[in-house]
Amino acid sequence: MTPPPPGKLAGTAKVGDRGQIVIPKDMRDMFGIVAGDTLLLLADVERGIAVLRNDDFVHLAETVLDAHKDRSDDA
């Protein structure tokens, strides 16, 4: 079997009785996810579920809001 290209992984996770899944270790390592991290789940009935590190989402939101503020200050 050919290994995936760099930066790409595929895996499976089984859903437990309490709705929990285990993110495969190689994926946790790839994204720096450690025990105690908060993850943000975004769901779209047509596109599926996206999992983001909450810190990354907060950083993105702050960047967008700061850029918007800077544009408003220039006006």
Side-chain angles (χ1 to χ4, degrees):
M1 188 163 150
T2 306
K8 308 279 186 187
L9 291 172
T12 62
K14 201 176 275 192
V15 179
D17 293 339
R18 293 177 32 194
Q20 297 171 318
I21 63 168
V22 174
I23 300 169
K25 183 179 182 338
D26 52 356
M27 292 181 187
R28 293 191 316 266
D29 291 346
M30 178 185 279
F31 291 97
I33 297 170
V34 297
D37 280 352
T38 298
L39 302 177
L40 175 67
L41 303 172
L42 302 173
D44 181 292
V45 73
E46 294 177 13
R47 298 178 69 189
I49 299 172
V51 180
L52 304 130
R53 290 188 66 217
N54 192 58
D55 295 342
D56 293 336
F57 180 76
V58 168
H59 176 72
L60 173 65
E62 288 172 346
T63 301
V64 169
L65 292 172
D66 287 346
H68 179 71
K69 180 180 178 267
D70 291 344
R71 292 179 102 188
S72 296
D73 291 345
D74 292 341

